Amino acid sequence: MEGGVKAVEFSETAKREIEKILSRYPTKGAALLPVLHLAQEEFGVLTEGVRARVAQVLDLPPAQVEGVVSFYTLFKTQPTGRHVIWLCQTLSCDLAGTRSLLGHLDRRYSLKPGGTTADGRFTLVMAECLGGCGTGPAMMVNWDYHDRLTPERVDEVLEKYR
Amino acid sequence: MADMITLTIDGREIVVPPGTKIIEAAGSVGIEIPRFCYHPKLTPVAVCRCCLVEVEKVPKLIPACATPVSAGMVVRTRATSEKVRKAQQGMIEFLLINHPLDCPVCDKGGECPLQDQTLAYGPGGTRFAEKKYHFKKPVPLGPHILIDRERCILCLRCVQFQREIAQHPQISVTYRGRDSFIDTAPGRTLDSNFSGNTVEICPVGALTGRHYRFRARPWEYERKPSICPECACGCNIYTHVRNGEILRVASRENPLVDDGWLCDRGRFSVRPDEPAPPRLTTPLVRINGRLMPVSWDGALEFATSAFRKIAQAPGRPEGVVGAIAGPSTTNEELYLLGRILRTSYSSNNLSFDGGASSALRSAGFAPVGAPDIDWADTILLIASDPSRDLPILDLRIKKAVRKGARLAILGNTSIELASLAASTIQAAGTDLARAIEEIARNVPAQTGQGAFLSSGKRIVVALGETASRDKTAVSEVGKLISALSKDGREVRAGVFAGGTNAAGAVEMGFHPEYLPGLRRIDDVRAKAQVEAVWSASVAAKAGLAGSSLLCSAAHGEVKALYVMGADPASRSLTPEEREGLKRLECLVVTTDRMTKTAEMAHVVFPAAAFWEKTGSLTNVAVRVQRFEAAVPPPPGVKSDVDILVSLAKAGCLPLSKESPADLAEEIARLSEPYARSFSGRTGSPAMSGREG
Amino acid sequence: MFLIELFRGMGITLKHFFGKTITIQYPEQRRPLYDRTRWRHILRRHENGLERCIGCSLCAGSCPVHCIRVVAAENTDADRRSPGERYAKTYEINILRCIFCGYCQDACPTGAIVLRKDFELARDHRSKFLYTKEMLLEPKPALQPVPEPQPLEMASSTHG
């Protein structure tokens, strides 16, 4: 069943938590999102093994879990750096200059979308609208929101995250 | 009948049953609405947005595939609504934005709903001038299926099919928006036994079958109706032939048999991408210990004189000649071989080499097939695994369970269908009969599985292969049936067993104990009926079959064997059985390719392969289905019926009927199901696909 | 009386006898062929030497006399004949049956099959009129490094 994936086991606390989540929903499939969040908290990253385990625990087809995990950008399937930069790529920000920021991040930090800096400090993720359409381009670093960005301001902001 | 609903579509008043979707209501009066994701057998997901229609008092356009009709609804389709027409054109333009339009190299080009509907409903051009997406392609999803992500329009038909119909949810949409694509979970493949259907229902060329990719363009095929010879389901198929070569097999929907689906075993039995072993095209005769090619006349002469010498030995012993026939031999071949052996060689040694038979029909069992599963509200499978043996019936059972039927399993509870069963009991070997007996006892007592079964009103009991050979188990099932057939309950019991045409073999009298039409050989009156038709006498002693036939050859009792389309030597034989094959004075083999048995033979006749034959097969529900040759046999090759007729002539057998029509008429006089297959409303029933 | 008619006829003959010659001494002399002359087919290649033909059979489908037979096969990275996934394993034209209508050229999505000016097609045996792919295919251009296979783009289509 595991398909060569290393067996991953939830901790006892997590197992109890899953039971609690399951009791809230009429079907096991409905509990998928909260259980995935729990799994991400527990293991940090939703690796192949974690995804397979979640499918097993919830009695769902692995392909369905795969579809849900890949749909939501907040689920991490790759290990990330210490800080995650969410750069908005939606139209308003794009017009306001997201691409120049991308070029800057690449030149200055060798950071490409989906990539992590060599020192493990930042991971860059492209995000859809962060709600800063009037004040773009916008980005989030971890959960902090920054807008009206220019390459200089990006450097300034990123200085704060070590 | 519930109240009918009246609605108006494009100004026409339409009356349909409640629950009908707008798209179906429109279709019933010939108003066509474009669609990609909608499929009549799948739950609508309404993702392609091409079936949008305008409904009065609804502010937005709504998908016709997912909206049930309601009374007084006023629907406008593209024919009467400019808004709908524009929306549909826009949707199709969107679908084509990233579609590669590589129709000239696409397997679907020519039979592609996207192509057809773009022509019919799409805009003439596109305003998209930017670069299209390019992906790596093709990507294998499973052993038979490859996906071309560029062509995919994400209609989800394949996902829905695997989830709902096959119930193997191995594929899903991953990622989102413009990055979405269909994929399996990492490290897993689409290895469902029904994956080939996704290629057929794919409305674009995104899913392609590995074995016929690029073999031909759809318009080049000659489509010939036929019957799948891979198992006893007898699914109706079309063979797609180009230049005398079968390149693929497609479904031909028959609700009484296959519901329009095929399993991968049947669909991918035709593999033009794999080299075929060389065909045998000349008769071979063993001369000085070696098989040498000879003329047809020479080989026929050799075989008949050898058989005659053995059969007309002093004392004219009965049963010195035997015959073994393999699966996918037709009813006509089986009948003719049985008749020749019985009348010319006074032998009842007829052994069918393709699984158990439905001989149980005489013991209160009736043929049970797809329509019975549809009818049932409770299904009991006894030591049977349709998923493996009769895949299309597995789909039928899944469908029945989906519609509310309850499934009980007795036997191996680790089979796939056990996960759908409401009641399972593990039993094997001698325990099986005891377990059946216990259930039968529990029926009046209203406990355990007995209570479960007796709460049904229409019960189907199906016996698997091993159970049907276990005499105690069979008699216990008989008791169970009589226990259940009370209090207004109806029971249909049959066997889910046997290979291709196993049911036909018994029906045709290719059986040591049964004459054609399921007449027992020890029933004097039944035997007389057959003798009257044949104008010849039949030996009264039951014959030998299977292992005992080969063993008696080892003891020198059976001296000559006629093997038609079977290869007993390739099975794992006991030393005694192997000795039997070796000691034969005359072994005649008809085969399309060289086999282990043929290597031991004295005479080998090159016979037509299945696709080169015309005849009929009988499926597990004893439904006789006729088919015609899809391709001609290679030069020098004859069909088994022709070989038998030639042999009979050379052997001076009084065979008055030798044309296929005469032969069929004679069989129809002896076999009721065979006769029924003739009495079609419009021509030949098996060829018309549907039968009322 | 009929002699007058005879001399009148001979007069016309004589006039043409001394007039301008309109026949030419083929094969020593040849007339220039028009630009749109349609005779023997060739199968063209891309500049990089890959075959243009993708084995789509549209030429065979459009052929009014059914003189073209195409059997396609799949390209592999080891044996790449054309860009994209598909190429023609067999390409045959029965030139005896061909009426040189040029529909195949019209139907071809990649401009692979074209009718050119070679009209001297006489042969001494029927079997020599079955033109195989080898006979039809343009010779490979001088050896150049084979570029990466590009995704297939159709030469003409209304949808961008």
Side-chain angles (χ1 to χ4, degrees):
Chain A
M1 270 309 278
E2 284 303 315
V5 173
K6 245 194 302 168
V8 176
E9 198 45 83
F10 283 102
S11 67
E12 288 307 313
T13 353
K15 277 183 186 161
R16 274 196 299 278
E17 189 60 30
I18 291 173
E19 283 308 309
K20 227 174 7 186
I21 293 170
L22 281 174
S23 68
R24 292 208 301 265
Y25 296 100
T27 61
K28 281 183 162 182
L32 179 55
L33 280 181
V35 170
L36 282 173
H37 278 299
L38 181 80
Q40 184 157 299
E41 243 168 73
E42 171 109 350
F43 302 104
V45 184
L46 295 175
T47 57
E48 224 174 286
V50 175
R51 271 136 47 202
R53 185 85 191 110
V54 169
Q56 214 176 31
V57 166
L58 296 181
D59 221 355
L60 290 174
Q64 189 184 333
V65 175
E66 203 57 28
V68 170
V69 169
S70 60
F71 184 92
Y72 293 104
T73 43
L74 286 181
F75 288 131
K76 290 189 280 186
T77 53
Q78 299 290 330
T80 55
R82 290 195 296 282
H83 309 289
V84 181
I85 305 171
W86 302 84
L87 186 59
C88 178
Q89 62 171 355
T90 306
L91 188 66
S92 317
C93 286
D94 190 77
L95 291 173
T98 301
R99 280 179 220 197
S100 70
L101 299 187
L102 267 177
H104 176 71
L105 287 172
D106 190 13
R107 277 190 302 276
R108 174 83 196 267
Y109 304 90
S110 302
L111 198 51
K112 289 193 171 57
T116 304
T117 51
D119 57 1
R121 190 168 154 209
F122 294 116
T123 295
L124 176 60
V125 181
M126 300 311 289
E128 295 303 339
C129 190
L130 298 177
C133 303
T135 53
M139 72 170 179
M140 279 194 339
V141 184
N142 299 338
W143 302 109
D144 312 329
Y145 174 78
H146 307 276
D147 56 7
R148 295 187 199 283
L149 295 170
T150 57
E152 297 72 45
R153 233 182 90 60
V154 165
D155 290 341
E156 215 173 282
V157 169
L158 293 187
E159 263 317 294
K160 292 181 217 150
Y161 300 90
R162 278 283 141 198
Chain B
M1 196 73 219
D3 290 338
M4 299 292 269
I5 283 181
T6 309
L7 74 159
T8 314
I9 301 181
D10 286 347
R12 287 167 74 176
E13 206 153 273
I14 296 166
V15 183
V16 289
T20 311
K21 306 282 187 287
I22 296 176
I23 202 168
E24 296 154 352
S28 69
V29 292
I31 298 173
E32 204 187 313
I33 296 174
R35 80 283 304 266
F36 293 106
C37 65
Y38 171 78
H39 188 282
K41 292 199 170 71
L42 302 173
T43 310
V45 285
V47 294
C48 78
R49 316 304 290 182
C50 282
C51 64
L52 293 173
V53 289
E54 194 178 356
V55 176
E56 227 165 60
K57 299 196 182 89
V58 176
K60 288 185 187 176
L61 300 181
I62 54 171
C65 70
T67 314
V69 295
S70 55
M73 207 178 218
V74 179
V75 180
R76 270 195 284 275
T77 72
R78 64 193 324 280
T80 50
S81 164
E82 178 62 20
K83 202 166 144 193
V84 171
R85 216 175 55 79
K86 277 189 78 173
Q88 284 173 354
Q89 277 199 355
M91 280 321 299
I92 289 175
E93 194 180 345
F94 272 135
L95 289 181
L96 293 175
I97 274 183
N98 273 313
H99 192 79
L101 291 163
D102 57 350
C103 305
V105 293
C106 178
D107 273 339
K108 206 81 178 185
E111 55 177 12
C112 174
L114 182 61
Q115 236 181 5
D116 295 346
Q117 297 186 74
T118 301
L119 189 69
Y121 311 112
T126 181
R127 288 163 284 175
F128 185 77
E130 289 76 14
K131 254 185 103 115
K132 290 181 187 238
Y133 266 13
H134 286 301
F135 298 112
K136 181 182 179 297
K137 65 179 188 178
V139 180
L141 280 184
H144 305 298
I145 312 293
L146 302 163
I147 188 168
D148 184 320
R149 279 177 59 190
E150 294 177 5
R151 293 184 192 144
C152 180
I153 58 165
L154 294 168
C155 71
L156 306 194
R157 271 190 189 179
C158 52
V159 176
Q160 286 283 96
F161 170 81
Q162 287 298 140
R163 183 155 63 203
E164 281 184 16
I165 309 284
Q167 301 193 0
H168 298 149
Q170 297 170 335
I171 44 175
S172 175
V173 191
T174 54
Y175 296 89
R176 68 169 166 190
R178 59 174 194 190
D179 297 324
S180 311
F181 63 98
I182 306 289
D183 202 2
T184 56
R188 286 162 199 259
T189 58
L190 175 60
D191 55 3
S192 156
N193 190 24
F194 303 101
S195 62
N197 292 301
T198 60
V199 178
E200 200 163 318
I201 59 174
C202 181
V204 295
L207 296 173
T208 53
R210 184 188 294 280
H211 308 293
Y212 59 77
R213 267 168 75 79
F214 305 144
R215 293 289 144 178
R217 306 313 307 274
W219 60 83
E220 296 172 330
Y221 290 125
E222 211 179 323
R223 289 170 165 78
K224 295 191 177 167
S226 187
I227 303 296
C228 174
E230 287 296 314
C231 79
C233 288
C235 295
N236 293 197
I237 55 171
Y238 281 108
T239 53
H240 288 191
V241 179
R242 192 182 82 151
N243 297 336
E245 191 192 354
I246 299 186
L247 294 177
R248 67 174 177 180
V249 162
S251 66
R252 175 165 60 99
E253 184 174 355
N254 183 340
L256 297 178
V257 182
D258 50 43
D259 230 359
W261 309 119
L262 292 180
C263 72
D264 284 1
R265 175 151 50 116
R267 185 185 298 269
F268 299 125
S269 62
V270 171
R271 296 189 179 184
D273 60 332
E274 287 174 12
R279 285 292 294 267
L280 208 57
T281 50
T282 49
L284 306 171
V285 167
R286 191 166 293 279
I287 302 168
N288 299 330
R290 282 186 57 204
L291 281 173
M292 306 292 274
V294 293
S295 70
W296 270 98
D297 286 343
L300 286 169
E301 173 58 38
F302 189 99
T304 31
S305 64
F307 264 69
R308 206 182 305 148
K309 212 176 83 200
I310 290 161
Q312 292 173 351
R316 293 184 61 96
E318 286 184 359
V320 287
V321 174
I324 300 177
S328 74
T329 42
T330 67
N331 287 331
E332 291 73 13
E333 291 161 0
L334 291 165
Y335 173 83
L336 200 57
L337 179 54
R339 185 186 192 278
I340 289 172
L341 226 69
R342 286 194 151 119
T343 55
S344 301
Y345 299 104
S346 324
S347 170
N348 291 321
N349 297 333
L350 300 167
S351 171
F352 184 72
D353 207 3
S357 61
S358 50
L360 297 164
R361 278 167 60 194
S362 53
F365 288 81
V368 164
D372 306 294
I373 295 173
D374 288 349
W375 162 86
D377 64 6
T378 305
I379 300 162
L380 171 64
L381 294 179
I382 301 175
S384 164
D385 184 4
S387 319
R388 189 193 61 206
D389 303 328
L390 302 158
I392 288 302
L393 289 183
D394 157 78
L395 284 190
R396 270 302 165 110
I397 293 170
K398 285 171 177 167
K399 181 178 167 189
V401 171
R402 239 180 4 257
K403 296 203 162 162
R406 303 170 315 147
L407 178 65
I409 282 175
L410 172 62
N412 183 359
T413 51
S414 60
I415 62 169
E416 190 198 323
L417 282 174
S419 62
L420 298 178
S423 158
T424 55
I425 293 178
Q426 171 75 37
T430 47
D431 286 352
L432 195 67
R434 219 173 307 131
I436 302 167
E437 197 250 313
E438 196 189 318
I439 299 168
R441 250 189 300 118
N442 282 342
V443 169
Q446 290 292 309
T447 49
Q449 215 170 21
F452 178 82
L453 290 175
S454 57
S455 59
K457 281 275 163 267
R458 300 178 303 276
I459 305 160
V460 159
V461 179
L463 247 77
E465 179 103 31
T466 42
S468 68
R469 281 201 228 118
D470 179 348
K471 289 216 161 66
T472 5
V474 169
S475 76
E476 292 300 339
V477 173
K479 286 180 207 155
L480 174 63
I481 297 168
S482 49
L484 283 171
S485 313
K486 283 179 188 146
D487 307 325
R489 287 185 295 261
E490 241 187 288
V491 182
R492 294 185 189 171
V495 278
F496 278 0
T500 315
N501 216 22
V506 201
E507 191 61 45
M508 291 300 112
F510 199 88
H511 193 280
E513 289 161 26
Y514 285 88
L515 292 166
L518 284 184
R519 294 172 171 86
R520 279 200 74 87
I521 202 148
D522 47 14
D523 178 345
V524 182
R525 269 189 52 218
K527 187 162 153 267
Q529 289 169 344
V530 178
E531 284 171 336
V533 172
W534 286 351
S535 334
S537 63
V538 173
K541 196 170 140 247
L544 303 167
S547 171
S548 45
L549 177 61
L550 292 178
C551 290
S552 91
H555 302 138
E557 284 149 25
V558 170
K559 294 194 170 70
L561 198 59
Y562 188 94
V563 177
M564 179 170 74
D567 188 12
S570 68
R571 277 185 291 140
S572 54
L573 294 176
T574 63
E576 197 185 3
E577 289 167 345
R578 195 161 290 282
E579 179 60 26
L581 275 177
K582 280 191 198 140
R583 268 198 70 182
L584 287 167
E585 283 171 30
C586 180
L587 173 61
V588 177
V589 174
T590 72
T591 180
D592 55 341
R593 304 198 154 92
M594 210 55 201
T595 60
K596 285 207 172 120
T597 314
E599 278 161 14
M600 302 170 78
H602 299 93
V603 185
V604 182
F605 289 114
F610 179 78
W611 304 114
E612 296 151 13
K613 296 194 235 191
T614 294
S616 65
L617 290 179
T618 305
N619 82 354
V620 65
V622 196
R623 182 188 157 83
V624 178
Q625 305 187 105
R626 327 189 135 268
F627 56 89
E628 276 168 28
V631 289
V637 170
K638 287 189 184 187
S639 79
D640 271 310
V641 167
D642 287 345
I643 297 171
L644 286 169
V645 168
S646 315
L647 274 174
K649 270 196 212 157
C652 308
L653 171 77
L655 191 70
S656 54
K657 318 275 172 136
E658 52 191 52
S659 83
D662 288 340
L663 182 65
E665 196 240 356
E666 186 182 297
I667 303 173
R669 282 170 65 194
L670 288 169
S671 161
E672 193 266 329
Y674 192 88
R676 227 184 310 140
S677 78
F678 274 106
S679 59
R681 270 43 109 208
T682 49
S684 149
M687 307 306 278
S688 67
R690 261 164 224 267
E691 191 187 10
Chain C
M1 278 312 108
F2 74 95
L3 276 180
I4 300 168
E5 298 299 320
L6 188 75
F7 284 115
R8 190 176 287 165
M10 289 307 282
I12 292 171
T13 309
L14 276 173
K15 195 175 95 195
H16 282 287
F17 190 78
F18 295 108
K20 191 177 159 236
T21 327
I22 57 165
T23 52
I24 57 166
Q25 291 304 312
Y26 178 82
E28 290 79 24
Q29 262 181 317
R30 281 159 192 266
R31 204 184 261 165
L33 291 169
Y34 295 113
D35 281 348
R36 285 161 69 179
T37 307
R38 291 196 308 253
W39 284 107
R40 182 192 185 280
H41 317 66
I42 65 160
L43 279 172
R44 291 170 64 212
R45 290 180 187 273
H46 288 286
E47 292 72 33
N48 58 22
L50 289 177
E51 293 163 16
R52 277 178 185 267
C53 179
I54 49 173
C56 73
S57 286
L58 285 177
C59 47
S62 66
C63 180
V65 290
H66 305 296
C67 70
I68 306 180
R69 178 169 163 264
V70 185
V71 178
E74 196 169 348
N75 274 313
T76 56
D77 285 327
D79 181 22
R80 177 162 290 284
R81 312 287 183 86
S82 66
E85 292 172 272
R86 182 182 182 130
Y87 76 98
K89 193 170 68 179
T90 308
Y91 195 106
E92 287 171 354
I93 299 182
N94 182 347
I95 218 83
L96 280 180
R97 229 194 267 177
C98 178
I99 57 169
F100 303 97
C101 64
Y103 281 11
C104 47
Q105 181 172 348
D106 285 352
C108 186
T110 60
I113 184 114
V114 288
L115 282 77
R116 288 283 165 84
K117 296 181 184 174
D118 176 14
F119 60 91
E120 291 156 311
L121 304 175
R123 296 286 185 279
D124 57 5
H125 195 271
R126 291 181 70 89
S127 64
K128 294 183 183 167
F129 289 96
L130 194 71
Y131 281 39
T132 60
K133 190 179 165 197
E134 291 69 43
M135 295 159 78
L136 292 164
L137 202 59
E138 226 177 22
K140 255 192 174 163
L143 206 62
Q144 281 169 0
V146 176
E148 284 290 291
Q150 289 143 14
L152 178 79
E153 299 283 359
M154 291 303 126
S156 61
S157 73
T158 43
H159 291 281

